Amino acid sequence: MTFRRGVLIVLEGVDRAGKSTQCARLVQALQQNGRRAEIIRFPDRTTQIGQLISSYLEKKSNLEDHTVHLLFSANRWELVPLIREKLEQGINLVVDRYAFSGVAFTSAKPGFSLDWCKQPDVGLPKPDLVMFLQLSPEVAAQRGQFGAERYEISSFQQTVQQRFEEIRNDTSINWKVIDASRSIEEVHTDIKSASEKTIDVAQHLPVGELWR
Ligand code: ADP
Ligand code: 2DT
Ligand code: MG
């Protein structure tokens, strides 16, 4: 039997688009189909770097904007050995936010270019598929109020949405835009089908390098 690696599938999108809900549903569905699958989320708030980030997001501490950007990136790099190990073991990884959130959120701040924001993440394991859960701010608002975390302000989120649109012009990435305004089940059906197709193709290919 030829060896098949796990694939790296990322879900991105604005706040309340349904990323966390759909990551959990996808992992469950892949497992039910007899595949190995696990969830990873960024930021991973459990590590020492993740705790610095979490405290910043909860507004319990302040960090300079470049510094926190580099910490978000470092939080991905510290997980790379684990990510590579899992993929090599044939475990499919479903990732709740990745470097695209990193670029979209920091570049929504004044004085940050997309290009500068991308640099620290150049060379990360490249996702085989990035699904962008598309949702208008109006529909997102119907899904409940913002929480109290640092970036949960509607004017900032609108700028983040614009940055995501720019980032999606990057044709080196396998993007799939998903209409996230539908029911959880309808969205899930699309996400599962795109993921299964990606697994069939990408499991035979080497893992790429992001933005390189
Ligand atoms: P995200 O991780 O993108 O911020 P969540 O998965 O946490 O989004 O979902 C935000 C809220 O919206 C939750 O209360 C969730 O139950 C609800 N929700 C998720 N998907 C849908 C959907 N397709 N339709 C309606 N409500 C949804
Ligand atoms: P959630 O835990 O609710 O997803 O919110 N963020 C995330 C960044 O600014 N840079 C990054 O690199 C990443 C991964 C998005 C986490 C918040 O952190 C922001 C919302
Ligand atoms: Mg979430």
Side-chain angles (χ1 to χ4, degrees):
M1 201 177 87
T2 53
F3 177 73
R4 288 161 184 191
R5 70 166 170 96
V7 307
L8 192 60
I9 295 170
V10 170
L11 269 71
E12 285 281 9
V14 289
D15 209 80
R16 291 167 296 176
K19 298 176 297 297
S20 299
T21 304
Q22 294 296 336
C23 282
R25 287 287 282 112
L26 177 58
V27 166
Q28 195 183 34
L30 293 174
Q31 288 172 347
Q32 279 164 1
N33 283 356
R35 297 189 188 275
R36 297 174 77 192
E38 291 179 16
I39 195 165
I40 289 187
R41 56 189 60 79
F42 289 112
D44 176 348
R45 302 189 191 212
T46 67
T47 68
Q48 280 182 305
I49 293 169
Q51 283 165 28
L52 292 174
I53 292 170
S54 187
S55 158
Y56 170 81
L57 289 171
E58 292 169 20
K59 298 185 226 167
K60 289 177 182 162
S61 63
N62 284 320
L63 289 167
E64 191 275 332
D65 289 330
H66 300 79
T67 309
V68 76
H69 183 74
L70 296 173
L71 287 175
F72 273 111
S73 178
N75 185 232
R76 285 183 279 280
W77 281 107
E78 67 178 334
L79 267 288
V80 167
L82 183 80
I83 290 174
R84 292 203 182 281
E85 206 174 290
K86 301 253 184 208
L87 295 178
E88 278 163 21
Q89 289 167 357
I91 301 170
N92 298 291
L93 295 177
V94 174
V95 188
D96 188 344
R97 294 191 190 274
Y98 200 52
F100 314 99
S101 276
V103 175
F105 277 75
T106 301
S107 70
K109 298 178 178 180
F112 285 87
S113 69
L114 287 190
D115 188 51
W116 187 89
C117 292
K118 283 161 82 171
Q119 293 315 309
D121 286 312
V122 169
L124 279 177
K126 182 178 175 176
D128 298 294
L129 173 65
V130 187
M131 285 178 277
F132 186 81
L133 275 57
Q134 180 88 277
L135 193 70
S136 71
E138 294 76 29
V139 181
Q142 289 164 13
R143 293 189 179 171
Q145 303 294 308
F146 280 120
E149 289 209 332
R150 192 176 286 270
Y151 296 140
E152 297 179 336
I153 299 161
S154 79
S155 56
F156 187 72
Q157 292 274 335
Q158 279 182 19
T159 313
V160 170
Q161 174 94 277
Q162 289 165 11
R163 293 295 173 268
F164 268 128
E165 278 166 29
E166 291 172 48
I167 295 164
R168 291 208 317 265
N169 291 329
D170 177 352
T171 53
S172 75
I173 303 296
N174 182 19
W175 291 102
K176 185 169 173 64
V177 179
I178 303 278
D179 172 6
S181 69
R182 298 166 296 161
S183 73
I184 291 177
E185 275 313 305
E186 284 171 304
V187 175
H188 169 66
T189 303
D190 266 16
I191 287 179
K192 187 175 74 177
S193 136
S195 301
E196 291 282 2
K197 280 183 198 151
T198 298
I199 292 172
D200 286 343
V201 176
Q203 64 186 349
H204 305 292
L205 306 172
V207 181
E209 290 180 302
L210 183 63
W211 293 325
R212 186 175 269 160

